[in-house]
Amino acid sequence: MIAFAHGMSNFGHNRGTMLEQEALLRNSLRGNYSMLRIHLATGNYAVRTCLPVSELKLGLHQGLNKNYRVKEIMVVDRVDLVEALAVFQAECRNRYPDGFSESDLKVGKEQTRWRLGLVFVQHLYDVRAKYSEGFLEIVDKRIKVLGLHAGIVGLLKFDPITPRIPWGAAASFVEKFLKSDGQSGLATARSAQTVRGVLRLF
């Protein structure tokens, strides 16, 4: 399983170190896993466990909240995440055949640069929500939605060198869309590079 903690990707606060996070999680999960690895210190975890998803979420949430402020833990299956990342990379290659970089998962460069990312909303993932016309119709100067695959939103975030636009802007974008559509849901976003990094932990 892959888990993403909401609120720990904030730069400059609320994250601690990977070793600190690992100690909290090992204590909270009490050995109910065969693998627990962390990618960066921004709330990205690779876990092999026989625990039900609900118990894994609870264990991670309780452990991290001893030191940090975590609103929710998003849990997705590794296979689904591999597939979604591949789908959105292919969409970038199709849309931007001369501008998409496979190495850093970006389109363009410098002040015209866009970065591929994924947004996770647990209830969308739990039902493996598929293509949504509404997402694709939204126009935003900082976000280009690529699609919705297996309940995971793929998008490009405008990413100039300055001013920096955080991934929280992409998460807020999805939350606002859901609210306008009569739904509620907490979203957390990660760059595709971060997603690729946590997948490599397996």
Side-chain angles (χ1 to χ4, degrees):
M1 289 289 186
I2 305 289
F4 299 105
H6 183 283
M8 294 192 69
S9 58
N10 299 328
F11 281 84
H13 65 283
N14 196 40
R15 63 170 54 179
T17 67
M18 290 169 59
L19 287 176
E20 290 169 348
Q21 292 178 35
E22 183 178 3
L24 291 170
L25 296 179
R26 289 189 183 281
N27 182 60
S28 181
L29 292 175
R30 301 177 183 275
N32 291 311
Y33 58 88
S34 60
M35 185 190 83
L36 170 62
R37 294 179 181 169
I38 301 174
H39 178 65
L40 305 175
T42 54
N44 317 293
Y45 310 102
V47 187
R48 283 201 181 104
T49 179
C50 292
L51 288 173
V53 169
S54 60
E55 291 184 29
L56 175 62
K57 285 167 66 76
L58 181 62
L60 296 175
H61 193 268
Q62 289 180 338
L64 292 171
N65 268 326
K66 289 181 178 178
N67 281 15
Y68 313 112
R69 299 183 304 279
V70 175
K71 292 183 179 179
E72 188 174 349
I73 304 291
M74 314 287 179
V75 175
V76 299
D77 188 89
R78 181 184 64 86
V79 173
D80 289 331
L81 194 52
V82 167
E83 183 178 307
L85 182 59
V87 165
F88 298 132
Q89 284 182 252
E91 183 65 22
C92 283
R93 284 193 294 271
N94 290 336
R95 291 194 190 191
Y96 310 99
D98 299 321
F100 179 59
S101 169
E102 295 282 356
S103 61
D104 59 13
L105 304 175
K106 297 175 186 174
V107 174
K109 49 186 160 182
E110 297 179 350
Q111 292 302 315
T112 61
R113 183 177 64 187
W114 295 75
R115 189 186 295 264
L116 176 61
L118 284 74
V119 179
F120 306 91
V121 180
Q122 193 71 58
H123 80 267
L124 292 181
Y125 175 73
D126 288 344
V127 299
R128 305 302 196 271
K130 298 181 180 179
Y131 178 85
S132 172
E133 190 73 39
F135 272 119
L136 299 180
E137 290 175 348
I138 299 175
V139 177
D140 187 282
K141 63 182 179 181
R142 301 187 302 175
I143 304 292
K144 295 179 180 179
V145 177
L146 298 173
L148 180 65
H149 183 82
I152 299 170
V153 181
L155 49 75
L156 291 169
K157 174 181 69 74
F158 185 45
D159 191 48
I161 297 172
T162 57
R164 182 184 174 276
I165 300 171
W167 279 104
S172 295
F173 170 87
V174 172
E175 287 178 359
K176 288 178 182 177
F177 168 78
L178 292 174
K179 187 175 182 180
S180 71
D181 196 43
Q183 305 180 58
S184 62
L186 195 63
T188 191
R190 296 294 189 273
S191 72
Q193 276 189 307
T194 295
V195 170
R196 188 162 64 181
V198 73
L199 284 170
R200 286 173 176 168
L201 296 176
F202 283 93

